[in-house]
Amino acid sequence: MTLHATVDGPPDAPVLLLGSSLGTTGAMWQPQVAALADRFRVVRYDHLGHGGSPVPPGPYTIDLLGREVLGLLDHLGVGSAHYAGLSLGGMVGMWLAAHAPERIDRLALLCTSACLGPAEVWRARAAGVRAGQLGSIADTVVSRWFTPGFAAARPDTVAGYRDMLTATPPAGYAACCEAIAAMDLRADLAAVRAPTLVIGAADDPATPPEHAADIAERIPAARLAVVDDAAHLANVEQPAAVARLLRAHFEPEGGTNP
């Protein structure tokens, strides 16, 4: 299997992988492409079970999702890369940096968690999606992605991301819910050696800032930043602030590519 990916930027630039949230595709990162693709070869991939990527039978594990990303790097002929991931993308990033440290140069983790219980809630969501499709949970999920003020001011943007969610293959979404249910990366974080930036969002109800703080405490020498006036999809709600943080973090040292 090969994950679907969209590539922007100079072919000889340092590679920056972008991992998206549960229920979105690499298009989630569109607000940052212009700010990053002049300096990096930006690779936005779709998680297993999402977008244009394969949808094998579940359940999935974070280990499986991470190994698929390593397969994508191999397919692209990339030895190592920078990595930024939001939510599920951040969970995969933590696994990669801990279990394949030679492949990750610098790491950014946004609006994510190393352990996001309770597990039974995620298993129940997976069962509900399989039974009733994603439309059955879309309004609840999207209400956690954006602050009420942003949703009122930018209804077309919110509707576009809702459409992205409901277009996700239900089997793939459910299988990724099961991966989150079984995940506990907390003991792995001490092994991360990549220079790491952890970004929380002040108004994120899905992965509140204390989750970001816990990750930053566990990863050696990690830096923590909190973006104001943003909920779970902080890169959409505060695109310029997130782009500035990412660019400043990834620019000091170029990626090491073959």
Side-chain angles (χ1 to χ4, degrees):
M1 295 182 293
T2 301
L3 299 179
H4 175 265
T6 301
V7 182
D8 298 279
D12 58 346
V15 174
L16 171 56
L17 273 175
L18 297 179
S20 51
S21 69
L22 176 68
T24 69
T25 69
M28 186 204 82
W29 288 102
Q30 188 61 42
Q32 279 69 50
V33 171
L36 298 174
D38 65 331
R39 178 64 181 82
F40 303 99
R41 183 184 176 200
V42 177
V43 179
R44 295 176 287 157
Y45 73 89
D46 296 345
H47 290 294
L48 198 68
H50 285 61
S53 289
V55 190
Y60 304 164
T61 62
I62 298 298
D63 179 292
L64 173 63
L65 298 180
R67 292 187 186 282
E68 290 297 321
V69 175
L70 294 177
L72 173 64
L73 287 175
D74 292 342
H75 176 74
L76 295 172
V78 176
S80 65
H82 301 316
Y83 185 98
L86 188 149
S87 190
L88 178 60
M91 298 168 191
V92 172
M94 285 182 270
W95 185 92
L96 289 167
H99 293 271
E102 72 284 359
R103 308 300 296 270
I104 303 300
D105 295 327
R106 299 179 74 88
L107 177 67
L109 306 168
L110 296 83
C111 300
T112 191
S113 179
C115 185
L116 193 59
E120 57 268 23
V121 171
W122 288 103
R123 295 189 183 104
R125 185 189 294 195
V129 166
R130 287 192 173 101
Q133 304 298 301
L134 277 153
S136 64
I137 64 166
D139 290 339
T140 299
V141 169
V142 173
S143 73
R144 297 164 72 81
W145 283 0
F146 305 105
T147 62
F150 182 88
R154 300 282 298 278
D156 291 346
T157 298
V158 173
Y161 280 87
R162 187 186 190 282
D163 289 344
M164 194 184 299
L165 171 65
T166 57
T168 304
Y173 184 96
C176 285
C177 287
E178 290 161 339
I180 295 170
M183 176 197 72
D184 188 346
L185 296 167
R186 290 173 292 185
D188 295 350
L189 296 184
V192 174
R193 292 295 177 263
T196 301
L197 172 66
V198 185
I199 301 174
D203 303 307
D204 181 2
T207 52
E210 53 264 33
H211 288 253
D214 180 70
I215 293 168
E217 288 176 3
R218 293 174 184 272
I219 295 178
R223 293 190 302 113
L224 175 66
V226 177
V227 177
D228 291 329
D229 300 319
H232 194 52
L233 295 194
N235 75 300
V236 179
E237 198 155 358
Q238 296 294 339
V242 169
R244 283 194 299 270
L245 286 166
L246 293 180
R247 183 150 179 153
H249 179 63
F250 289 122
E251 274 189 324
E253 300 172 11
T256 304
N257 299 306

